[in-house]
Amino acid sequence: MLILLGVLFYMQKKHVSFSKRVFTGLGLGILFGLVLQYGYGADSEVAAKSTDWFNLVGGGYVTFLKMIVMPLVFISILSAFTRLNLKGNIGKLSGLIIGILIGTTAIAAVVGIGTSVAFNLEAVQIEQGEAETARGEQMEGTFAEVKDLTLPQQILSLLPANPFLDFTGARPTSTIAVVIFAAFLGIAYLGVKRKQEEHAELFAKIVDAFYSVIMRVVTLILRLTPYGVLALMTKTVALSDMGAIAKLGKFVIASYVALLIMFGIHLLLLTFAGLNPITYMKKSFPVLSFAFTSRTSAGALPLNIRTQKSMGVPDGIANFSGSFGLSIGQNGCAGIYPAMLAVMIAPTVGIDPLSPSFLLTLIVVVALSSFGVAGVGGGATFAAILVLSAMDLPIALAGLLISVEPLIDMGRTAVNVSGAMTSGLLTSKVQKQLDTDAYNDSENQVEVSA
């Protein structure tokens, strides 16, 4: 592992592009993991202890990402009011962005349903081992915390009763609560700006200073991405039950078919808006590849915003769509995934998943449940719990897919980020604020220099 980390460090010193180093880390991690898998076995003490040491790098990287999520979301929203120039009604812009995010999530649910039916996926086809049973029990424990909440109470739980508690990420809905708190401060700032301009100017400078420092911290963490991806993939592959993954191969293929279809829908929406989809794919590749390998929408936020700006999206809209996309309407984690699970699990309790009433209810529930999904790990699980509980389906059966979770989570995260960027582009186009010259400028592309 030290030798492989050294290879990545050497590539960095030779100024090899960030994307190439990330994919090199991904490839080396898979190969090294396979060596450990077939050399010692997934259940061996050697593999377990070795990957425990590797986790100093991989787990440390994920921990640093979690560390910066809340400050990053908070300052991105607040700076949209203070540091950046927003043209037009803020409420209208926010509503349009959220509407697109929720709408595409509903479409994603339809795609998930259709793919599950086409591949004839059913939960009874999956064997339940010790790991799957343990995962199911864990999900039931999480469900116990929210099962007694009515829909109005769940909506109320989104509000930041104690924003300082939410900054710790203590609640599943902490991310959206921080977004709401930052928006309140931003609106208050605009009110102060009209009456006490000097105070508002001082506040804006303070926010601007924090924005610069936090973005610098993000850059420092991004530099660790190739190393973190190497360690995470090594551990995942080395300890994975290959037999279980092979048995779930049909679900993995179905998931990626659904994710590719949803990405194609993003491209269609942009095409209908008069934007070249090829240009979007070229410019979005760095951030989507980062999201794919790191499996974190929140960690991709700075690149998300920078990429949107390179495509002509105004600063304010880019900040709003990127930040809202972390906790509202994640097309992959909160749309496709829970819809597929619901269709798979429904037959186990005697429900016809193709009945119109079930399908319509599922699409609505998926769209409404997509609020408050976390941006770093666990978001898909929380979304699945909310949807399955609302549909009166057994929660524990969702644990059957634990062995392929990391594999499909990479694709889900990339689609989440693409959905957020699509909402920013479409909002800018509708509001006639998109700089089409910047969008079509092939040289104006984000290249990560971290």
Side-chain angles (χ1 to χ4, degrees):
M1 174 57 74
L2 289 174
I3 292 172
L4 295 179
L5 291 172
V7 169
L8 293 176
F9 183 73
Y10 177 78
M11 293 176 68
Q12 180 179 338
K13 288 296 182 181
K14 289 295 182 179
H15 303 291
V16 176
S17 73
F18 181 77
S19 297
K20 290 180 180 178
R21 284 187 282 124
V22 169
F23 277 104
T24 300
L26 178 69
L28 291 176
I30 292 173
L31 291 175
F32 189 34
L34 289 173
V35 169
L36 294 175
Q37 169 82 228
Y38 291 106
Y40 297 98
D43 299 325
S44 72
E45 185 178 354
V46 172
K49 288 189 174 181
S50 297
T51 53
D52 194 33
W53 280 100
F54 301 164
N55 202 44
L56 285 174
V57 179
Y61 169 68
V62 173
T63 301
F64 283 139
L65 285 174
K66 290 180 178 179
M67 172 190 74
I68 201 62
V69 167
M70 292 307 179
L72 183 60
V73 171
F74 175 75
I75 205 68
S76 294
I77 291 292
L78 191 54
S79 64
F81 289 88
T82 61
R83 182 174 183 266
L84 307 173
N85 181 28
L86 274 174
K87 297 179 182 178
N89 185 284
I90 292 176
K92 185 177 180 180
L93 290 175
S94 301
L96 189 54
I97 291 170
I98 293 173
I100 293 172
L101 288 170
I102 298 300
T104 52
T105 301
I107 295 172
V110 174
V111 171
I113 292 168
T115 308
S116 296
V117 173
F119 279 80
N120 192 29
L121 298 178
E122 292 185 7
V124 293
Q125 300 169 348
I126 305 173
E127 295 182 10
Q128 190 163 345
E130 292 183 6
E132 287 77 12
T133 302
R135 176 65 167 173
E137 292 174 351
Q138 179 186 358
M139 294 183 73
E140 285 185 325
T142 304
F143 169 59
E145 300 175 8
V146 298
K147 68 178 181 179
D148 295 327
L149 295 179
T150 63
L151 181 58
Q153 289 173 330
Q154 289 182 27
I155 295 174
L156 192 62
S157 70
L158 300 176
L159 303 181
N162 183 347
F164 298 101
L165 177 67
D166 288 318
F167 270 109
T168 67
R171 303 186 300 146
T173 56
S174 285
T175 306
I176 187 64
V178 169
V179 168
I180 293 172
F181 177 60
F184 264 102
L185 287 180
I187 293 170
Y189 160 80
L190 295 178
V192 172
K193 187 177 181 180
R194 288 194 295 268
K195 298 179 180 179
Q196 296 172 296
E197 191 170 343
E198 291 183 2
H199 292 172
E201 185 178 345
L202 176 61
F203 181 77
K205 288 181 178 179
I206 294 173
V207 171
D208 186 51
F210 272 103
Y211 183 90
S212 299
V213 171
I214 288 174
M215 287 304 172
R216 180 59 184 168
V217 173
V218 169
T219 300
L220 295 175
I221 296 173
L222 287 180
R223 288 179 176 174
L224 302 175
T225 300
Y227 310 102
V229 168
L230 167 64
L232 289 170
M233 289 307 303
T234 300
K235 180 180 179 181
T236 299
V237 175
L239 300 183
S240 292
D241 185 343
M242 294 302 177
I245 292 177
K247 292 175 183 176
L248 291 170
K250 187 165 75 167
F251 179 79
V252 174
I253 294 172
S255 296
Y256 271 91
V257 167
L259 292 169
L260 287 172
I261 291 174
M262 194 61 218
F263 182 67
I265 290 173
H266 292 164
L267 298 180
L268 278 177
L269 291 173
L270 294 173
T271 302
F272 292 150
L275 300 175
N276 189 330
I278 304 298
T279 301
Y280 173 78
M281 287 193 289
K282 289 179 179 178
K283 290 197 169 188
S284 65
F285 179 76
V287 62
L288 295 184
S289 62
F290 172 82
F292 182 85
T293 52
S294 67
R295 293 171 51 202
T296 163
S297 302
L301 179 58
L303 295 181
N304 182 334
I305 294 172
R306 286 168 56 188
T307 301
Q308 288 190 61
K309 289 162 64 176
S310 77
M311 291 191 280
V313 177
D315 290 342
I317 294 177
N319 271 38
F320 271 121
S321 62
S323 300
F324 285 158
L326 296 184
S327 52
I328 300 174
Q330 293 192 349
N331 293 177
C333 289
I336 291 173
Y337 183 65
M340 292 182 73
L341 285 180
V343 172
M344 289 173 61
I345 293 172
T348 64
V349 291
I351 297 175
D352 179 10
L354 296 181
S355 66
S357 59
F358 177 85
L359 293 176
L360 182 60
T361 303
L362 177 58
I363 294 170
V364 173
V365 167
V366 166
L368 294 178
S369 299
S370 65
F371 281 82
V373 178
V376 178
T381 299
F382 183 65
I385 289 173
L386 289 178
V387 171
L388 294 177
S389 62
M391 300 296 294
D392 290 325
L393 298 173
I395 304 294
L397 289 178
L400 296 174
L401 303 170
I402 182 175
S403 57
V404 294
E405 267 291 303
L407 190 59
I408 59 177
D409 194 42
M410 294 190 292
R412 289 191 313 226
T413 305
V415 170
N416 292 343
V417 173
S418 178
M421 291 195 296
T422 300
S423 71
L425 284 164
L426 293 178
T427 299
S428 301
K429 188 69 175 177
V430 170
Q431 293 293 308
K432 298 181 179 179
Q433 296 186 36
L434 183 69
D435 185 346
T436 52
D437 290 335
Y439 182 88
N440 294 317
D441 184 359
S442 59
E443 295 183 0
N444 185 17
Q445 183 170 346
V446 173
E447 174 56 50
V448 184
S449 59

